[in-house]
Amino acid sequence: MAKPRQVVRDGASHALLDDVAKQIIEQLQEDGRRPYASIGKAVGLSEAAVRQRVQRLLDAGVMQIVAVTDPLQLGFPRQAMIGLRTTGDLEAIADRLAELEELDYVVITAGSFDLLTEVVCRNDDHLLEVISRLREVEGVVSTEAFVYLKLRKQTYTWGTA
């Protein structure tokens, strides 16, 4: 199985996107499988031009085109957000945590936690195992798990700025 691409974003820096690039992104946020010819008609470009622009956006890390799955349907009924308090080199700790397969989200935060991670697990025993492994990481002082009981909203269509 191919290892998922890790995305590292620093601060508020962002790519300068023209209006056409933003329209292409919005078209793909609505339907990631939308044909380039359809996108071209919507934004006023040829299919080939859309293909080139999409490839540039992918290469620059501006976007990814992925299949978003439902963990429950795939046999992962236990999801949780885990807050971590740490000591030492925060970025190095975040990098070590990002290597753990079960963590699909690792973010450095301000507030009562230094890091937030999201995990997807097979069951409560698996969640307990993951939490134990998090606690073993050098620099992790404490963890607090927030188990998801019911998902009310999840979206990836925030558009473009």
Side-chain angles (χ1 to χ4, degrees):
M1 180 164 74
K3 186 172 183 171
R5 181 176 152 198
Q6 284 189 347
V7 176
V8 178
R9 295 188 304 215
D10 290 325
S13 64
H14 62 277
L16 295 174
L17 303 175
D18 64 13
D19 289 340
V20 174
K22 291 178 182 181
Q23 290 174 27
I24 291 170
I25 291 168
E26 289 168 356
Q27 290 281 313
L28 289 168
Q29 283 179 318
E30 289 176 15
D31 179 358
R33 296 177 56 182
R34 183 166 288 155
Y36 291 152
S38 297
I39 295 171
K41 287 178 186 171
V43 302
L45 293 176
S46 70
E47 178 180 352
V50 171
R51 180 177 290 107
Q52 289 174 345
R53 281 181 168 250
V54 167
Q55 191 59 54
R56 283 196 303 253
L57 292 166
L58 294 169
D59 292 344
V62 172
M63 67 178 191
Q64 299 177 56
I65 300 174
V66 299
V68 178
T69 59
D70 179 349
L72 296 174
Q73 298 290 329
L74 296 175
F76 296 99
R78 180 55 67 221
Q79 296 173 267
M81 182 70 66
I82 303 174
L84 297 98
R85 292 182 181 89
T86 65
T87 185
D89 185 342
L90 187 54
E91 293 200 17
I93 296 167
D95 290 342
R96 282 196 297 278
L97 295 174
E99 295 172 3
L100 297 177
E101 182 179 326
E102 290 90 351
L103 275 60
D104 59 29
Y105 182 77
V106 177
V107 63
I108 296 171
T109 64
S112 61
F113 295 105
D114 299 307
L115 296 164
L116 288 176
T117 65
E118 185 179 65
V119 298
V120 177
C121 298
R122 293 182 304 275
N123 52 41
D124 287 338
D125 288 336
H126 187 205
L127 175 59
L128 183 58
E129 174 191 324
V130 171
I131 292 171
S132 295
R133 290 192 356 243
L134 292 175
R135 291 176 176 163
E136 292 172 0
V137 172
E138 185 177 341
V140 172
V141 175
S142 67
T143 62
E144 185 172 347
F146 302 90
V147 175
Y148 297 178
L149 298 177
K150 189 180 283 189
L151 180 64
R152 291 311 247 185
K153 181 178 181 178
Q154 182 175 5
T155 182
Y156 300 98
T157 57
W158 49 80
T160 57

